[in-house]
Amino acid sequence: QQQVKQSPQSLIVQKGGISIINCAYENTAFDYFPWYQQFPGKGPALLIAIRPDVSEKKEGRFTISFNKSAKQFSLHIMDSQPGDSATYFCAATFQWGSVNSGYSTLTFGKGTMLLVSP
Amino acid sequence: SQTIHQWPATLVQPVGSPLSLECTVEGTSNPNLYWYRQAAGRGLQLLFYSVGIGQISSEVPQNLSASRPQDRQFILSSKKLLLSDSGFYLCAGQTVHEQYFGPGTRLTVT
């Protein structure tokens, strides 16, 4: 079953704190795990992504940790800022067909609403 | 990188009226294109995807249809809107694994 479970549904973190959002997947065929950030009334924006052969990826204040054996991955936002307040979606995908001509099915988690208090 | 354009940004339509939402892509050729619907505040549901002109696949049975008349144009349509069609509609284009989203169209069916 192509399902991605995301938790928590909502999260309140104080400014400067660490925000942690967790996701778990079932389909071991997934080979790419992106995170999206969405502000109210806007489309989701790709934030950071990881492949299953890597255990961690860091870009600025954002880090993905990946545990292949547990089929879990998480997003850590260090030094959280009020401007980080948004909804975050994890996703998992695998490529049908060849890299250049196939399509990828993105399976999304249900999202986490993050509020960073000043 | 590709840019996804959508219009209109917002739309209020009465029940039973037709619908046409447009998505265009720039910055790439022969992209895979996707239509999603997002219910109030939350998750994204894949409605249609297209791997080329005239090639449309539907993920869920519904009151909507999609067409791809040109390589970089993807249209979402309905002949008669239902109240349940209200939502935030997002178009996305694919570059290898990554999908990039447009700004969305907020549709309210009254």
Side-chain angles (χ1 to χ4, degrees):
Chain A
Q1 189 177 3
Q2 297 184 30
Q3 201 172 19
V4 176
K5 295 181 179 178
Q6 184 172 347
S7 62
Q9 280 190 326
S10 60
L11 180 63
I12 300 175
V13 174
Q14 285 197 333
K15 179 181 175 181
I18 302 173
S19 303
I20 302 174
I21 303 171
N22 300 299
C23 286
Y25 64 97
E26 298 175 1
N27 191 337
T28 55
F30 288 138
D31 60 2
Y32 194 69
F33 301 86
W35 284 88
Y36 286 85
Q37 179 189 57
Q38 185 179 27
F39 294 105
K42 306 295 184 182
L46 180 63
L47 188 63
I48 187 173
I50 197 168
R51 294 183 181 278
D53 54 349
V54 177
S55 61
E56 185 175 280
K57 183 174 181 179
K58 183 176 181 180
E59 290 185 2
R61 296 185 294 109
F62 299 91
T63 300
I64 300 178
S65 297
F66 190 87
N67 186 330
K68 188 174 181 179
S69 61
K71 293 188 286 185
Q72 295 175 346
F73 59 111
S74 59
L75 176 69
H76 296 232
I77 305 174
M78 312 300 288
D79 186 28
S80 298
Q81 299 297 312
D84 296 330
S85 298
T87 299
Y88 292 82
F89 293 93
C90 62
T93 183
F94 56 97
Q95 187 82 27
W96 295 90
S98 70
V99 170
N100 293 321
S101 63
Y103 72 93
S104 63
T105 299
L106 267 179
T107 300
F108 285 91
K110 293 189 181 300
T112 296
M113 295 179 67
L114 170 65
L115 176 64
V116 181
S117 59
Chain B
S1 65
Q2 57 184 278
T3 302
I4 311 294
H5 301 281
Q6 287 185 247
W7 63 91
T10 59
L11 190 59
V12 180
Q13 293 282 94
V15 168
S17 65
L19 173 74
S20 181
L21 302 182
E22 189 163 345
C23 168
T24 59
V25 183
E26 63 176 283
T28 187
S29 58
N30 196 30
N32 293 339
L33 297 174
Y34 304 79
W35 277 113
Y36 290 87
R37 176 168 58 204
Q38 186 171 32
R42 300 309 283 246
L44 296 106
Q45 179 186 32
L46 178 63
L47 301 176
F48 300 95
Y49 64 86
S50 171
V51 298
I53 295 174
Q55 300 180 63
I56 307 294
S57 296
S58 174
E59 283 293 300
V60 294
Q62 59 204 307
N63 184 43
L64 302 168
S65 62
S67 61
R68 187 168 176 178
Q70 301 180 44
D71 179 45
R72 302 180 192 183
Q73 185 184 30
F74 202 23
I75 296 172
L76 185 68
S77 304
S78 174
K79 292 182 179 178
K80 289 185 178 181
L81 284 168
L82 306 172
L83 284 174
S84 58
D85 292 324
S86 293
F88 191 48
Y89 288 84
L90 290 155
C91 179
Q94 178 193 349
T95 301
V96 191
H97 277 84
E98 290 89 0
Q99 287 190 17
Y100 295 93
F101 287 83
T105 295
R106 172 75 59 193
L107 171 66
T108 303
V109 182
T110 60

